[in-house]
Amino acid sequence: MYEWIKALHVIAVIAWMAGMLYLPRLFVYHCEAETGSRQSETFKIMERRLLKAIINPAMIVTWLAGLYLAWFGGWFSAGWFHGKLLLVLAMSGVHGFFVRWVKDFAADRNLKSQKFYRIINEVPTVLMITIVILVIVKPF
């Protein structure tokens, strides 16, 4: 069963990260759209559906499967796991900011620039790379 849960965890992580990398790109393009325009309304739908149908469920499955793996794999005492857990908590925090920004765009309250979202787009990438290195290399 452990290997099946591990496969589920990897699949969920891929889905979560795909959404976490795509959503801020949508924000960048949404900034260009005129408030109330057809394009802006389309972005609102895309952002909401991406969040509700992919990103949120994938994060939940990632956490549940990951905690199962950590418990039954005995990883809670491993140093690398502490680092990974901290970074996954940070990724979840970024996810929370994305949720808030989707709501801001939906209410036409976005106050951030394209440049801001272009920079934020890199945060999940850096977190993901560091997490993968910790899991595969287990440096400590």
Side-chain angles (χ1 to χ4, degrees):
M1 186 65 155
Y2 187 85
E3 298 302 324
W4 284 103
I5 301 295
K6 188 189 292 188
L8 177 65
H9 180 66
V10 170
I11 292 164
V13 168
I14 291 169
W16 188 22
M17 290 305 96
M20 292 290 286
L21 297 172
Y22 185 51
L23 188 57
R25 293 305 307 164
L26 288 176
F27 294 158
V28 168
Y29 301 129
H30 197 160
C31 285
E32 293 178 347
E34 186 177 322
T35 301
S37 69
R38 186 174 179 163
Q39 186 180 32
S40 177
E41 297 306 308
T42 299
F43 279 122
K44 290 177 187 180
I45 292 167
M46 293 171 67
E47 291 158 0
R48 185 184 75 248
R49 287 182 180 169
L50 179 61
L51 187 65
K52 302 274 185 189
I54 297 173
I55 301 174
N56 287 347
M59 182 192 73
I60 292 166
V61 173
T62 296
W63 268 101
L64 293 175
L67 289 171
Y68 173 92
L69 294 170
W71 180 260
F72 286 101
W75 298 116
F76 281 106
S77 61
W80 67 267
F81 180 76
H82 297 156
K84 175 192 176 182
L85 185 59
L86 181 67
L87 294 174
V88 174
L89 285 167
M91 186 76 76
S92 298
V94 172
H95 179 125
F97 282 115
F98 287 3
V99 169
R100 186 174 75 202
W101 296 331
V102 165
K103 290 177 183 178
D104 286 348
F105 273 111
D108 295 321
R109 289 189 315 250
N110 175 54
L111 301 176
K112 297 177 179 26
S113 68
Q114 283 183 347
K115 184 176 181 177
F116 173 82
Y117 291 117
R118 288 181 195 279
I119 293 167
I120 287 299
N121 190 37
E122 303 308 321
V123 173
T125 304
V126 171
L127 289 169
M128 178 188 62
I129 290 168
T130 310
I131 291 166
V132 169
I133 290 169
L134 285 173
V135 171
I136 301 300
V137 178
K138 294 179 178 63
F140 49 88

